[in-house]
Structure formats: C-alpha cells, structure tokens
C-alpha cells in the first residue's frame, strides 16, 4: 500500500545525545515535511524539502537537521542543541503544489530522559 | 503572513447531536483552506478542503464546512455526531500565492469528545 512510514514509533533519548527519526514515502511525492506537535500548540514546521538534494528551514529549525539524498527518504536528526526535544514528530509529503493534499505518517514520539 | 484561530480547544457533544467547530483565518491574499482530523496516537488525515468554486464543501463521512470570505471563517459542522468522530480537528490555511505547501499554517486544534 502507498503511504508514509515513520520509525521508530517511540524513542527515548538521554540528554546530550543526537537521535535520528526515519521517514520513507512511496507516493512518488516531490515535497516532504517535518512537523513538531506539542499539546495546545498545533503543528509547527521544522524543515521542508521540495526536491531531492534541497531543503529549507521552517519556523522552528534550530536544533534540528535533515537530509534529502533520495526522493523517498527525509530523515530528521534531533541534535543535543534542541533544548526541549520531547514531542510528537510528524513527517508528511505532497506533490508540492499549493492546495494539494498533504499526507502524514503515523508519527514518532520522542522522549528525553 | 497568515494565521489560523480555532476558538475552542475542547468541545464535548452528546452522541447524535449537531456540532460546529470554529475556525477563523487571516491573510493578506486569497487562501486555500483545509480541515484535518487526527485520531489518538496517529497522524493527520485530510477531512475536506476549499480551493475555489462552491463555498460549501463536504466530506464522505458527513462533515461539511463553509468558506465565508467576509467573515474570514471556515467553520466545520456535522448535523449528527457518532462516537467514532471523537478526535482532534485542525484547521489549516495556505496562501494561493505560495508555490507549495510549505506555508501551510495550522490552528492549535479542537478536541471533539462525543458523550454516549
């Protein structure tokens, strides 16, 4: 089935460690996105990529990094510089045209212990 | 710049009663409008969207929303809710001048709880 796969679903990290969240899509979409969701704050855009080998910062990029080496993959690294990383992270993709539907993965819970 | 305001963070409703989830937006240009639904511990799914044409849009599971340009609103309604409608609902806006969805701005969400 076509869709977006995020892994792992749950992840625990010690303070000071980097962690990478995986996102793979088989929808043949050009654009991919990472959002962070916190209770009561809705979704905030971390990074987005409209094409392979290119990506742009969103509204809250500090402490995060991404790569887009393949069309299907858009991994997110949460670095030790991110001061409050505990959150629900959502990966999404679309054709990249304004107005088209954005499709979301099931999300990844990151907890810093 | 664009923004979205969802006035109610939580809405409890009895089963089979009607519901309205409110959404207001601001933008200096024309917009596309979306409602997404999130079931517990899952990603978001598109419920319906307004791009152009008829201001009343419907989803396959009985929800509808009306684009009101003068009031800058896109309220979501359902005449009779079911237990399965329990979820969080997000309104989102994208300016038509944007190339892609990178400027899709989400509201803070409304948690709809259906009471049996």
């Amino acid at each position: 089935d076509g869709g977006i796969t995020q892994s792992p679903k749950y992840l625990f990290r010690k303070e000071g460690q980097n962690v990478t969240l995986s996102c793979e899509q088989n929808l043949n979409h050009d654009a991919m996105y990472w959002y962070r969701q916190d209770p009561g704050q809705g979704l905030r855009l971390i990074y987005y990529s409209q094409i392979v080998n290119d990506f742009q910062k969103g509204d809250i990029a500090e402490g995060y990094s991404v790569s887009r080496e393949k069309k299907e993959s858009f991994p997110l690294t949460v670095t030790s510089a991110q001061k409050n990383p505990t959150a629900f992270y959502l990966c999404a993709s679309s054709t990249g045209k304004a107005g088209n539907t954005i499709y979301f993965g099931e999300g990844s819970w990151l907890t810093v212990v | 710049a664009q923004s979205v305001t969802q006035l109610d963070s939580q809405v409890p409703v009895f089963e089979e009663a009607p519901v309205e989830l409110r959404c207001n937006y601001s933008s200096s240009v024309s917009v596309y409008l979306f409602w997404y639904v999130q079931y517990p511990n899952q990603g978001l799914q598109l419920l319906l969207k307004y791009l152009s044409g008829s201001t009343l849009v419907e989803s396959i599971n009985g929800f509808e929303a009306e684009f009101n340009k003068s009031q800058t609103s896109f309220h979501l309604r359902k005449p009779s809710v079911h237990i399965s409608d329990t979820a969080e609902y997000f309104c989102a806006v994208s300016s038509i001048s944007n190339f892609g969805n990178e400027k899709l701005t989400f509201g803070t969400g409304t948690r709809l709880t259906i009471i049996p």
Side-chain angles (χ1 to χ4, degrees), chain A residues 6-10 88-91 105-109, chain B residues 41-43:
Chain A
Q6 289 187 239
S7 62
K9 179 71 175 179
Y10 300 96
F88 190 50
Y89 291 88
L90 287 161
C91 179
E106 296 282 296
S108 293
W109 282 101
Chain B
N41 233 18
Q42 294 186 23

Side-chain angles (χ1 to χ4, degrees), chain A residues 9-10 37 50 96 98 100 109, chain B residues 36 38 41 43 49 99-101:
Chain A
K9 179 71 175 179
Y10 300 96
Q37 185 176 15
Q50 291 180 300
N100 282 8
W109 282 101
Chain B
Y36 280 84
Q38 184 180 33
N41 233 18
K49 64 181 176 182
F99 170 78
N101 284 320

